[in-house]
């Protein structure tokens, strides 16, 4: 995905979090915010240091980016995905299924 699909500014991420439209489980928390100013979706991923070393954190980020790219999420929204340490034990197929379940609960796919 192009970099225009990423939420980079800290104040934008804080706006998404303050809105408190969330769904979550033991592995992820997904925040969403309606943003009709941008013609496509934007997202940010947060992986805490408790998850593992830099290699493991970057791997989960790449996997989540790939899942988001092919998930068919609604446009006009900004998303913030927080990864919990329990997600480290999941395979790519389990990550995909878990995130799709959360996206469905959030009514964004």
């Amino acid at each position: 995905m192009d970099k225009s699909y990423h939420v980079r500014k800290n104040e934008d991420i804080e706006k998404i979090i303050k809105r408190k439209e969330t769904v979550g489980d033991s592995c992820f928390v997904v925040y969403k915010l309606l943003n009709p100013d941008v013609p496509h979706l934007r997202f940010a991923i947060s992986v805490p240091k408790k998850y593992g070393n830099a290699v493991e954190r970057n791997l989960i980020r790449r996997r989540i980016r790939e899942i988001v790219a092919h998930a068919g999420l609604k446009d006009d929204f900004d998303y913030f995905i927080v990864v919990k340490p329990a997600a480290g034990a999941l395979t790519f197929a389990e990550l995909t299924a878990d995130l799709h379940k959360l996206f469905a609960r959030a009514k964004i796919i």
Side-chain angles (χ1 to χ4, degrees), residues 63-96:
R63 288 179 172 179
I64 292 173
R65 272 190 236 120
E66 188 67 22
I67 293 167
V68 169
H70 294 98
L73 299 178
K74 289 183 181 178
D75 291 338
D76 297 338
F77 277 94
D78 290 342
Y79 304 103
F80 182 54
I81 301 170
V82 179
V83 180
K84 295 182 181 178
L90 301 178
T91 64
F92 184 74
E94 293 169 336
L95 287 173
T96 304

Side-chain angles (χ1 to χ4, degrees), residues 10-68:
N10 205 17
E11 61 252 13
D12 291 341
I13 293 172
E14 288 177 4
K15 277 188 219 174
I16 296 169
I17 293 172
K18 284 181 184 176
R19 192 59 194 254
K20 295 185 181 174
E21 290 186 32
T22 68
V23 293
D25 62 8
S26 63
C27 298
F28 300 101
V29 178
V30 178
Y31 296 85
K32 70 175 182 174
L33 174 68
L34 181 64
N35 187 4
D37 299 335
V38 181
H40 54 77
L41 69 94
R42 296 186 318 160
F43 68 97
I45 302 167
S46 175
V47 185
K49 287 189 176 182
K50 287 182 180 182
Y51 182 82
N53 63 19
V55 174
E56 294 167 343
R57 292 192 308 267
N58 287 329
L59 177 65
I60 192 75
R61 277 190 207 103
R62 286 193 308 270
R63 288 179 172 179
I64 292 173
R65 272 190 236 120
E66 188 67 22
I67 293 167
V68 169

Side-chain angles (χ1 to χ4, degrees), residues 88-106:
L90 301 178
T91 64
F92 184 74
E94 293 169 336
L95 287 173
T96 304
D98 195 18
L99 280 173
H100 279 277
K101 181 181 71 172
L102 286 177
F103 295 154
R105 278 184 39 208

